[in-house]
Amino acid sequence: MLNIAVFASGRGSNFDALYAAIAERKMDARIVALISNNSGAGALEKGRSLGIPAYHISRKQFGDDAAFAHHLLDVLRSHATSLIVLAGYMKRIDAVIIREYHRRIINIHPALLPKFGGAGMFGMHVHEAVIAAGEKESGATVHHVTEEYDEGTIIAQERVPVLPGDTPEVLAQRVLAAEHRLLPSVVEQFANASVNP
Ligand code: GRF
């Protein structure tokens, strides 16, 4: 059984899609915890309403980075977490967590990395940049998490077209639909012992 901790800062639609897919496809996986740096995150509400342990844990609650990271590790260990899924999590993951969960932390990014990643490339900024660059396609990427933003090995991508007249908001919706397919399919690979992503 793959024990998944989802980290999310915002509305949590990827968390929702993953939760639904685990049930529908009867994956050998379960979401054991939801963690957010943002007390107002929709994702926390969704987690609580599903009976999933949901934690608001923010750097501001701790004296230093090390105390914050160790508290996160305690929570992750208390749920026997085997995979961390960053689904719209806006904070950097501390090196001690990356070391303990080596190749067991994945992130979903709303563009075709390595393009349109890195500092400042989050939310609508990504889609604005894709349109401004005149790209003909965009998409979603799931990648391993390293200490640098958006730089870990790419595990899977799904492409979508950029259509004439697309606004960033319209493109964001098309990419989000791809994210909701891609993230569960990658998690399923992790849950499936025959594949080693
Ligand atoms: C998604 O577009 C994800 O790729 C990005 O943040 C957004 C989160 O959306 N990292 P949601 O909170 O899952 O609805």
Side-chain angles (χ1 to χ4, degrees), residues 25-126:
R25 299 188 209 168
K26 300 186 171 53
M27 287 183 211
D28 191 23
R30 61 184 170 197
I31 300 176
V32 293
L34 182 71
I35 295 172
S36 183
N37 59 301
N38 173 8
S39 61
L44 279 178
E45 280 296 304
K46 288 178 178 163
R48 287 186 185 120
S49 70
L50 294 166
I52 294 171
Y55 301 87
H56 168 226
I57 306 174
S58 150
R59 167 69 182 80
K60 292 180 210 132
Q61 299 158 344
F62 299 88
D64 56 36
D65 289 350
F68 173 44
H70 282 103
H71 182 73
L72 282 173
L73 276 179
D74 285 346
V75 171
L76 293 166
R77 289 176 186 142
S78 75
H79 292 287
T81 303
S82 43
L83 179 71
I84 297 173
V85 173
L86 307 184
Y89 187 63
M90 303 298 286
K91 298 289 176 184
R92 195 180 284 272
I93 298 293
D94 195 275
V96 299
I97 299 173
I98 291 174
R99 278 197 291 273
E100 178 148 334
Y101 284 91
H102 181 65
R103 295 186 72 79
R104 307 297 288 177
I105 311 178
I106 61 173
N107 179 51
I108 180 120
H109 184 78
L112 296 174
L113 292 174
K115 283 178 155 184
F116 306 105
M121 281 294 156
F122 60 90
M124 217 42 82
H125 299 301
V126 177

Side-chain angles (χ1 to χ4, degrees), residues 8 10-15 87-90 107-110 176 179-180:
R11 82 200 131 171
S13 69
N14 277 290
F15 160 69
Y89 187 63
M90 303 298 286
N107 179 51
I108 180 120
H109 184 78
L176 192 64
E179 293 180 45
H180 294 167

